[in-house]
Amino acid sequence: MESLKIISLSFFDGFIDSLKNVWVIFYIDKTINKKLEANDQQQINSSKKSNKEKKKEEKSKVALRVFQCCALNGGLFLLSLLFFYHLLLPFLEAIITHFTDPSIWSYINITLSWIFSCIWVVPLFLLSKVFNFFWFQDIADATYEFRRGKRTLLPSISLLLADVIFSLIVQTLFILQGTTLSYIPIVGRFLCFIHICLLYSLYSFEYKWFNQGYELYKRLKLVEFNWPYYIGFGFYLGILTELSDSFIMKGCIFSMFFPLLIISSIDSVPQQRIDCPIPFFSIVVALPNFLVSRKLKSNQVQQYSGNRSSTTPTRR
């Protein structure tokens, strides 16, 4: 009973942290820009900063980037999908089936949907992915430097590249793991939803951990050793994306709200309450043994598969 209470408290901590730091967006740009203006003035007076450097630090655009994510993914993309599938198609169906043979509508529906997907959905989906990648990074970098100062990246390009590749492999396999578990009777959908919440938390905290120089094995262990917190942190975004069965709409909803999780994660300090880690990532880390080079395995897999107790996160 006591363990259940601790797990519940950790879950609640994560859920609250995912929401309580969002208000930072309302003043972060103003604070950063005032600080940059003061620094620029000092450097101009001392003639130590070049014009190129002054231009680079001109403005912080966290609020603008969040607005752009909402406008592109929600205002343009999501609304266009809702309009086409829930307003335009039903309206055309009512007219066509009223004046012609209803069997014709199925062919017209397929044709219109195919054309809409080819000329609008797919191009806009790919374009949004590119923009989201850069906008998410801008939000994370500006918020991190505002809250925590100078970033500490991985020491070498090769290690950085290996970490990114291995992280993509692990995340992809983790999605497949959650999808596979969803077919288990009764508890399958719940287990899949747990995977979704953990993955959203990992996505958002990775920006902070990456800037702190944490390698992948350490990032995964932080999630495993405090899993109730990270389930709670990704809970509300998991609920929002589950409102739709469409993969495209899920992506739109995710891209609208994910910047808020990035901001909250950078300002959050998870409290370690439990001593019962669950190895969610053990299988998905072991499988890439067959896919990656020996060097990558020595940097990531070997460290993850080593003595787990020696790297257990300390209780705060």
Side-chain angles (χ1 to χ4, degrees), residues 4-286:
L4 182 60
K5 179 181 178 181
I6 294 174
I7 291 173
S8 300
L9 288 174
S10 296
F11 173 88
F12 186 73
D13 286 347
F15 181 74
I16 294 299
D17 283 352
S18 69
L19 297 171
K20 74 177 185 180
N21 296 313
V22 173
W23 61 274
V24 171
I25 192 175
F26 295 107
Y27 72 85
I28 181 173
D29 285 337
K30 182 178 179 180
T31 305
I32 293 176
N33 291 333
K34 285 179 65 176
K35 184 176 179 180
L36 290 177
E37 288 174 4
N39 290 339
D40 284 344
Q41 189 60 44
Q42 291 179 359
Q43 295 294 346
I44 290 172
N45 293 338
S46 59
S47 301
K48 291 182 179 180
K49 180 175 283 192
S50 67
N51 291 331
K52 184 178 180 180
E53 290 173 327
K54 287 186 288 184
K55 186 175 180 180
K56 184 178 180 181
E57 293 187 345
E58 203 168 73
K59 283 187 178 181
S60 172
K61 299 179 180 179
V62 174
L64 175 62
R65 295 292 183 245
V66 173
F67 173 78
Q68 289 172 326
C69 288
C70 293
L72 175 61
N73 298 287
L76 179 62
F77 201 177
L78 183 59
L79 288 181
S80 67
L81 294 174
L82 294 174
F83 172 78
F84 181 80
Y85 288 109
H86 297 282
L87 289 177
L88 183 59
L89 286 185
F91 175 73
L92 293 176
E93 180 182 9
I95 294 177
I96 291 173
T97 55
H98 180 74
F99 292 102
T100 63
D101 185 357
S103 61
I104 299 177
W105 170 247
S106 60
Y107 300 102
I108 297 176
N109 184 23
I110 294 173
T111 302
L112 290 176
S113 298
W114 184 83
I115 294 174
F116 179 68
S117 297
C118 289
I119 67 174
W120 180 257
V121 175
V122 174
L124 189 57
F125 178 79
L126 297 176
L127 185 66
S128 68
K129 288 297 181 184
V130 174
F131 280 116
N132 289 335
F133 174 82
F134 292 104
W135 290 345
F136 291 166
Q137 193 66 55
D138 285 347
I139 293 169
D141 291 344
T143 307
Y144 185 88
E145 292 178 2
F146 172 66
R147 283 304 203 188
R148 298 182 176 273
K150 188 177 180 181
R151 293 177 287 162
T152 305
L153 301 178
L154 296 176
S156 67
I157 298 297
S158 61
L159 186 59
L160 179 66
L161 182 60
D163 186 276
V164 171
I165 294 173
F166 195 83
S167 179
L168 291 174
I169 294 173
V170 168
Q171 291 171 7
T172 302
L173 292 175
F174 191 69
I175 294 173
L176 294 177
Q177 177 178 288
T179 303
T180 302
L181 292 176
S182 68
Y183 293 102
I184 299 176
I186 303 176
V187 299
R189 293 200 64 178
F190 173 75
L191 293 176
C192 182
F193 180 72
I194 293 299
H195 277 64
I196 290 172
C197 294
L198 289 173
L199 192 63
Y200 289 167
S201 290
L202 179 62
Y203 283 160
S204 55
F205 274 90
E206 270 200 323
Y207 286 96
K208 178 173 76 172
W209 293 336
F210 200 81
N211 284 332
Q212 291 176 326
Y214 293 177
E215 295 186 24
L216 178 62
Y217 80 95
K218 184 172 183 178
R219 303 198 297 266
L220 298 182
K221 286 186 176 183
L222 286 170
V223 175
E224 289 184 340
F225 278 90
N226 202 4
W227 54 270
Y229 177 90
Y230 293 104
I231 292 174
F233 192 89
F235 183 77
Y236 87 79
L237 186 54
I239 290 291
L240 291 175
T241 54
E242 286 299 297
L243 294 177
S244 174
D245 294 327
S246 168
F247 172 78
I248 299 295
M249 289 189 179
K250 285 178 184 287
C252 292
I253 295 171
F254 172 84
S255 299
M256 287 173 60
F257 293 95
F258 183 62
L260 305 181
L261 277 191
I262 295 176
I263 295 171
S264 293
S265 66
I266 291 173
D267 210 33
S268 298
V269 182
Q271 182 177 356
Q272 182 72 29
R273 292 180 180 271
I274 62 172
D275 292 312
C276 51
I278 297 180
F280 289 100
F281 298 95
S282 293
I283 295 177
V284 298
V285 170

